[in-house]
Amino acid sequence: MKKWILGLLVVAGLSVASAQGRTFGEALAGELTITPGFSLNLSVAAGIEQLLGPLDVRGNVDIFVGGGTSAFGVGADVLYPVRLEAVKLNLGGGIGFQSAGGTALFGIRGIGGAEFPVTTAFSLLTELRLLVGFGNGGSNVGLSLVAGPRVYF
């Protein structure tokens, strides 16, 4: 019985793995925030197209510097791609965790972006993100615009 269940799990895992699309990596930088002051955010991400049916999934690591502080964060996003003739639109959302100076912040974000293919393995990506963060007994709202390359493997 155990071998039969293990066999089903292996078949299910292989079918999910074969259904996924290309893997990709991103390096997105830039920050335009509603709050006053200059800040710089670098996000390095990796993901897989069509991992959850038609949805793309990616994980990211963020480094933030601005306003005399620095922070480190991790997150995950789910994106729904809409393919048009010359551009691919990405609509979705994500969650994240950020730590700065001994304080922790949990956040959710809405994402709207556009990907402009240059070659089959390289494209330029820009995203507008609405961020809502919770932590330290309060909440904050921000809007960021990020841009950078996406490479497919």
Side-chain angles (χ1 to χ4, degrees), residues 1-2 8 13-14 18 29 40 53 56-57 75 89 98 112 118 120 122 134 136 141 143 149-151:
M1 181 69 169
K2 289 181 184 179
L8 281 178
L14 290 174
S18 65
L40 177 65
D56 300 347
V57 176
L89 302 178
Q98 190 176 69
V118 177
T120 57
F122 179 80
F134 306 96
N136 291 336
V141 176
L143 187 64
R150 177 182 273 186
V151 178

Side-chain angles (χ1 to χ4, degrees), residues 21-26 45-49 51 56-59 152-153:
R22 301 180 294 173
T23 58
F24 59 84
E26 302 170 351
I48 300 175
E49 290 183 320
L51 183 63
D56 300 347
V57 176
R58 72 176 173 197
Y152 289 94
F153 304 104

Side-chain angles (χ1 to χ4, degrees), residues 76-129:
D77 301 320
V78 176
L79 302 170
Y80 179 75
V82 179
R83 287 175 172 76
L84 303 176
E85 285 186 28
V87 66
K88 181 171 85 170
L89 302 178
N90 291 315
L91 307 171
I95 59 171
F97 174 79
Q98 190 176 69
S99 176
T103 62
L105 179 70
F106 172 78
I108 56 174
R109 60 183 165 231
I111 301 167
E115 181 179 346
F116 303 94
V118 177
T119 68
T120 57
F122 179 80
S123 60
L124 299 174
L125 180 68
T126 185
E127 290 182 349
L128 182 64
R129 299 175 179 175

Side-chain angles (χ1 to χ4, degrees), residues 36-55:
F38 172 76
S39 62
L40 177 65
N41 186 35
L42 174 63
S43 178
V44 179
I48 300 175
E49 290 183 320
Q50 301 173 348
L51 183 63
L52 300 173
L55 302 176

